Amino acid sequence: MSRTEGKNLRVVLYEGPGSTPLADDDRFAALAALLDNGFEVTRPVAGQHVAPADDAPVLVLGLLDPLDTPPEVAPGQEVHFRNLADGDLLEAARAVREATGARKLEAWKPWFPVIDYDRCTNCMQCLTFCLFDVYGVDKQQQITVQNQDNCKTDCPACSRVCPEVAILFPKYGKGPINGDVVRAEDIQREAMKVDISTLLGGDLYGALRSRQKDARKRFSTERDESKALLERKRCLGKLKKDLDIPDEVLMTLPSAEDIEERAARARAKLAKRQAISQTVKDTRPAPSETEWGI
Amino acid sequence: MSILYCNCTYAKVVPVEVKRDVLRRLSDSGRAFDAVADLCDMSARKDPALKKIAEGGCTQIAACYPRAVKWLFHAAGTPLPDAGVTVLNMREDSADDVVKELLA
Ligand code: SF4
Ligand code: SF4
């Protein structure tokens, strides 16, 4: 199972009829522990709204009266009951999570690009830039995030190349990439970053390719391996600083050949897309004489 | 009206003292609410629970930047309604300000 699949267990913290209400401190402690361990929690109160039930498994936790029969639930709804008086709340929740096959808390940071379609102009720069096939186009030929799992944790580089500041990483430290409002100076600053990457050789692939070529040349002429390596390090250091690419991502960058292949694939995708929009244009009826103004 | 609280469990981008303070006061308020571990994680998984939240008339969301929350729901294929939803930002605002709006 991929890290982005699976249902969560929904825990209902119940304090209604047939139970003893929790002390304020206990309720808060239960809520905090459950949320910190990746559970969804609902606190229902009679006469007030919470999200409706869906087909996710439900665990009802509370100081339940042992003599009371559990309330009836909708057919098909998987509901488990556990009495908080009977033992540790997290142990009970984990056991039900295991039994229902619901998703466990994983040590991952949900890190993936989120597109702000109010800003996006569908220019495809992110698609051509990303080395890891995170982006794609949907049936309407609109840019979309199609392989979130491929995104490299803590790498916000594609958001740096987006000319519209339309790519968000909500877990990023700084605005506007984290979703903060986009100000005029942000647009200017992001544009400058793109310029810097352009100066590096057209784009990331270009930069890496030409540096690799230079390094090869140096290997053959000077046979000074350490100097060439230093130069490569310097180049990568500059990319890292300009685009905020983490070390781990730089270390896992594909080979020059892979990059060439990837760039060719992206170019072909773009050409296909342009051909489709051209065909759409060409199949429009020819303008009438009056439209030509003759 | 319903309330959704996001705990931002998988990364510490929301100040812990703010989110804990908001949760505590929500917990003590006697109000019904839904709380999720991490909206980003749910969006990544296109969790159907987001649909029930978006369609269930949720009107107050305590999380982070409104632009991030809006597009996280959209990315999961369950956009929030255009009007009537307020996103409160625990990343920028004080717990006092968030709770005042949340329980208004
Ligand atoms: S680079 Fe930005 S504006 Fe261009 S398609 Fe990607 S998200 Fe949209
Ligand atoms: S929506 Fe905001 S507060 Fe919630 S998990 Fe994502 S970054 Fe954290």
Side-chain angles (χ1 to χ4, degrees):
Chain A
M1 196 197 283
S2 116
R3 68 186 180 190
T4 52
E5 282 172 17
K7 278 177 194 156
N8 264 349
L9 175 67
R10 183 182 191 185
V11 179
V12 174
L13 215 48
Y14 182 73
E15 299 181 68
S19 75
T20 307
L22 297 169
D24 283 352
D25 283 350
D26 294 343
R27 186 188 313 107
F28 170 66
L31 277 163
L34 289 165
L35 290 169
D36 286 349
N37 283 277
F39 294 95
E40 277 175 50
V41 192
T42 294
R43 191 207 174 194
V45 174
Q48 297 184 32
H49 282 288
V50 290
D54 58 10
D55 58 354
V58 172
L59 164 64
V60 178
L61 277 178
L63 290 171
L64 308 173
D65 184 341
L67 298 177
D68 236 62
T69 37
E72 277 186 24
V73 293
Q77 180 83 56
E78 185 180 355
V79 184
H80 301 256
F81 295 87
R82 294 288 182 279
N83 196 336
L84 283 174
D86 289 346
D88 182 71
L89 127 134
L90 271 181
E91 257 173 42
R94 284 195 190 113
V96 174
R97 179 158 65 184
E98 193 73 45
T100 55
R103 201 165 155 267
K104 291 190 191 105
L105 177 90
E106 280 175 76
W108 88 294
K109 184 176 187 175
W111 183 270
F112 56 95
V114 177
I115 300 174
D116 174 347
Y117 288 99
D118 284 345
R119 304 193 62 85
C120 173
T121 56
N122 217 26
C123 71
M124 304 286 157
Q125 288 209 37
C126 48
L127 181 133
T128 22
F129 175 81
C130 177
L131 293 165
F132 303 103
D133 266 343
V134 170
Y135 295 91
V137 284
D138 64 14
K139 284 195 191 108
Q140 287 76 41
Q141 300 301 319
Q142 186 167 44
I143 191 78
T144 182
V145 177
Q146 67 179 11
N147 295 313
Q148 286 162 332
D149 278 7
N150 286 3
C151 189
K152 302 292 165 193
T153 303
D154 290 333
C155 177
C158 57
S159 66
R160 296 286 193 211
V161 300
C162 172
E164 307 299 331
V165 201
I167 300 177
L168 316 177
F169 285 89
K171 303 278 199 203
Y172 189 63
K174 287 177 245 151
I177 293 172
N178 58 14
D180 199 354
V181 284
V182 181
R183 296 174 181 88
E185 58 266 31
D186 292 323
I187 297 175
Q188 251 165 24
R189 197 174 51 228
E190 296 311 310
M192 261 175 64
K193 298 241 179 203
V194 177
D195 283 351
I196 291 167
S197 73
T198 307
L199 282 177
L200 273 166
D203 58 352
L204 177 61
Y205 319 123
L208 286 174
R209 271 201 308 271
S210 74
R211 294 289 168 164
Q212 195 136 356
K213 244 189 239 158
D214 287 354
R216 270 197 213 120
K217 218 193 271 166
R218 258 190 299 278
F219 276 135
S220 54
T221 53
E222 299 172 14
R223 302 209 172 274
D224 185 346
E225 198 166 320
S226 58
K227 214 169 169 188
L229 278 175
L230 261 180
E231 171 59 14
R232 184 173 165 77
K233 246 190 187 165
R234 199 188 63 78
C235 164
L236 292 180
K238 185 158 171 53
L239 278 173
K240 177 178 146 60
K241 190 166 158 278
D242 293 338
L243 300 178
D244 206 4
I245 303 176
D247 285 337
E248 312 82 77
V249 178
L250 285 178
M251 300 316 288
T252 56
L253 277 178
S255 68
E257 290 69 29
D258 290 339
I259 292 171
E260 293 270 16
E261 203 187 304
R262 159 82 188 124
R265 271 214 313 275
R267 274 197 299 272
K269 251 190 211 171
L270 265 182
K272 200 170 151 197
R273 190 176 153 266
Q274 277 157 358
I276 290 171
S277 57
Q278 189 57 45
T279 317
V280 171
K281 264 190 222 152
D282 292 348
T283 51
R284 276 194 211 130
S288 67
E289 281 191 2
T290 27
E291 274 174 310
W292 284 108
I294 299 168
Chain B
M1 176 185 140
S2 72
I3 295 172
L4 176 71
Y5 166 91
C6 177
N7 193 54
C8 203
T9 297
Y10 292 87
K12 313 285 171 250
V13 294
V14 171
V16 70
E17 58 288 356
V18 176
K19 70 176 186 183
R20 280 293 190 254
D21 200 357
V22 171
L23 184 63
R24 174 78 211 211
R25 292 202 248 169
L26 198 51
S27 168
D28 293 353
S29 69
R31 295 283 287 274
F33 63 91
D34 289 288
V36 297
D38 194 294
L39 272 178
C40 287
D41 171 66
M42 292 173 86
S43 171
R45 288 186 290 111
K46 302 201 171 13
D47 192 324
L50 287 177
K51 187 169 157 63
K52 88 189 168 205
I53 290 165
E55 290 174 359
C58 168
T59 48
Q60 306 279 79
I61 301 176
C64 59
Y65 296 103
R67 196 162 71 97
V69 174
K70 171 181 174 173
W71 294 109
L72 278 167
F73 271 87
H74 184 277
T78 55
L80 286 167
D82 284 339
V85 178
T86 309
V87 179
L88 303 158
N89 188 350
M90 295 191 288
R91 219 166 149 171
E92 287 284 324
D93 299 335
S94 69
D96 281 347
D97 289 348
V98 171
V99 170
K100 208 160 90 192
E101 281 273 323
L102 204 57
L103 303 178

